[in-house]
Amino acid sequence: MKPTIKRVWVLGAGQLGAMLKHAAQPLGVDLRPVDIELDANLPLEEDDVITAEREQWPSTQATDQLAAHPNFVNQDAFGLVADRVTQKQLLDRLSLATAPWKLVETNDTAASLHAVYGARVLLKQRSGGFDGRGQHWLVAAHDSSAIPQGWHNKVIAEQAIAFDEEMSVIGVRNRAGECHYYPLALNRHQDGILTVTLAPLERLSGLQNEAETMLRKVMEELNYVGVMAMELFRVGDRLLINELAPRVHNSGHWTQSGASISQFEYHVRATADLPLAPAIIKHNSVMINLIGIDYNLAWLALPGAEVFWYGKEVRPVRKVGHINFSMADQAQLVSSLRQLQATLTDWYQPALDWAISELEG
Ligand code: ATP
Ligand code: MG
């Protein structure tokens, strides 16, 4: 009998699409990322499956065709999660803790928002923001405390959360409702952009159940299929949801090296309706984002380094690659991180120092 080769189309052809393709190949899945700007008719077939590597897309010939296909997985979830208003409403409806928020309406002023949320209020674009872009802090008794022109009804206001640290939980769900989760990942952001992820960390294991329960609630409510990420703030022993991503996520890139099934493979398996299995976690893993820097061949010479270069034009604050380490020998891992640190700019030094001190505990 001829095995059926599944074909999965991905709306979007950035690095996430490329890494999904990379993961699909050994599974025998024909996965095709599609550039959202493509002006051509795609040869879609009835049995094909459609997924996306992004929450939003412009209307083009290719995206319209993909979005209209009856096998577009999670179609309804994208619109809902892509707008922070409906995403926050979903969390409130499920009684899941999140930063207090409201839509910034025509009558709102910086003063009225400070009166409700306190001295520091974060404005976030309802949609389209990423890597901290499209955000603006209102700080009471400060000149900058004014809602920027044209932002009313286009942003939400969030109370500032004095979190202890940021983490994320990533899970997968298939059509039958079977779910699996990775251990919590600890994330370090610098200037609003993810810089380093560490996972797993023994000291976070006490929060694992709660994080999984929160994510399961969301995936079940949306009847979700595939990988979903939930960004969390830890405040003492409480978890608050920062935001959801209905897709593979940067804070899950460590799973390419540190787990028997990567987040990309899980997403392909779930969307193509292939069997899932628990992902076996290998070692302590560290993922370092390469942000706005040129490719350096010295990275390839670092023991244990697994380099992922996206082949994009290098621009400031742009994610152009990442490096994973997943090593049993902690001392060797730290030694490699120190060598990596020496190849990176000043901007990275605090993040690498932080990662090393976490590992050395
Ligand atoms: P991403 O790149 O993950 O898509 P984003 O630009 O969509 O990020 P958020 O994740 O909402 O935006 O915010 C970026 C960062 O800003 C967070 O990781 C966190 O460090 C900080 N931040 C967000 N919301 C709050 C808040 N309510 N209080 C304090 N800090 C916050
Ligand atoms: Mg975020």
Side-chain angles (χ1 to χ4, degrees):
M1 202 178 82
K2 197 170 156 249
T4 39
I5 301 279
K6 274 272 191 180
R7 202 197 281 172
V8 177
W9 299 85
V10 180
L11 208 157
Q15 67 263 22
L16 300 180
M19 291 188 280
L20 285 165
K21 184 176 166 68
H22 181 217
Q25 207 238 337
L27 297 175
V29 171
D30 173 11
L31 186 136
R32 305 189 183 187
V34 179
D35 184 338
I36 53 172
E37 302 296 343
L38 185 73
D39 197 16
N41 200 48
L42 302 166
L44 303 189
E45 288 183 22
E46 206 181 309
D47 293 341
D48 290 355
V49 170
I50 319 297
T51 184
E53 58 145 31
R54 49 196 294 139
E55 292 95 312
Q56 277 194 305
W57 47 85
S59 168
T60 62
Q61 194 178 344
T63 63
D64 288 353
Q65 202 193 342
L66 290 168
H69 194 286
N71 294 343
F72 188 178
V73 185
N74 305 319
Q75 174 141 45
D76 299 341
F78 285 107
L80 190 146
V81 175
D83 183 347
R84 288 192 191 271
V85 170
T86 46
Q87 183 184 138
K88 286 285 215 177
Q89 285 168 340
L90 169 75
L91 300 178
D92 289 347
R93 193 165 73 242
L94 297 174
S95 305
L96 291 169
T98 183
W101 70 284
K102 84 179 286 293
L103 172 66
V104 175
E105 291 166 292
T106 315
N107 292 333
D108 283 316
T109 60
S112 73
L113 296 173
H114 288 307
V116 180
Y117 298 116
R120 294 177 71 239
V121 178
L122 183 54
L123 304 182
K124 295 182 176 180
Q125 299 284 341
R126 288 176 68 161
S127 60
F130 66 100
D131 295 344
R133 285 176 242 185
Q135 301 195 353
H136 179 78
W137 278 103
L138 297 178
V139 183
H142 201 277
D143 288 348
S144 72
S145 202
I147 299 168
Q149 192 110 39
W151 279 32
H152 286 87
N153 299 301
K154 295 205 178 68
V155 296
I156 64 164
E158 273 189 27
Q159 184 164 50
I161 302 300
F163 53 79
D164 293 297
E165 55 194 4
E166 293 190 77
M167 51 194 72
S168 52
V169 61
I170 294 179
V172 64
R173 183 176 181 276
N174 71 7
R175 283 179 183 75
E178 178 185 342
C179 295
H180 298 276
Y181 305 88
Y182 291 109
L184 278 163
L186 189 64
N187 299 322
R188 158 109 186 182
H189 294 81
Q190 208 150 293
D191 301 336
I193 186 163
L194 181 67
T195 314
V196 178
T197 294
L198 298 175
L201 275 188
E202 184 48 39
R203 70 173 179 83
L204 303 183
S205 59
L207 297 165
Q208 184 71 25
N209 269 344
E210 188 189 349
E212 290 183 8
T213 304
M214 292 166 101
L215 181 54
R216 182 180 306 117
K217 261 195 180 177
V218 173
M219 292 200 294
E220 280 174 359
E221 172 72 12
L222 298 175
N223 200 18
Y224 189 81
V225 173
V227 165
M228 180 179 276
M230 177 179 270
E231 297 181 13
L232 298 159
F233 297 135
R234 180 179 70 77
V235 185
D237 54 10
R238 275 190 75 209
L239 292 178
L240 259 71
I241 299 172
N242 173 27
E243 60 169 354
L244 304 170
R247 53 172 169 78
V248 289
H249 191 258
N250 194 174
S251 68
H253 290 2
W254 66 272
T255 63
Q256 292 169 307
S257 309
S260 62
I261 303 174
S262 74
Q263 62 163 348
F264 301 99
E265 181 171 342
Y266 258 156
H267 191 71
V268 175
R269 289 193 194 204
T271 52
D273 226 5
L274 302 176
L276 302 181
I280 302 303
I281 305 306
K282 298 177 183 172
H283 310 295
N284 283 340
S285 300
V286 183
M287 189 276 323
I288 299 96
N289 267 337
L290 301 169
I291 300 162
I293 48 175
D294 289 323
Y295 194 20
N296 185 341
L297 292 177
W299 298 328
L300 300 181
L302 299 176
E306 299 181 39
V307 178
F308 296 77
W309 185 255
Y310 306 153
K312 304 198 296 193
E313 189 195 330
V314 177
R315 287 194 233 122
V317 302
R318 188 179 208 202
K319 291 173 183 167
V320 290
H322 68 274
I323 303 180
N324 285 342
F325 294 90
S326 182
M327 293 157 83
D329 184 332
Q330 187 104 328
Q332 201 168 39
L333 174 55
V334 168
S335 154
S336 285
L337 288 175
R338 287 201 202 286
Q339 293 173 60
L340 171 65
Q341 197 170 16
T343 73
L344 297 172
T345 55
D346 286 352
W347 187 83
Y348 279 93
Q349 302 306 315
L352 270 286
D353 285 341
W354 169 84
I356 290 166
S357 70
E358 274 294 337
L359 289 169
E360 289 181 332

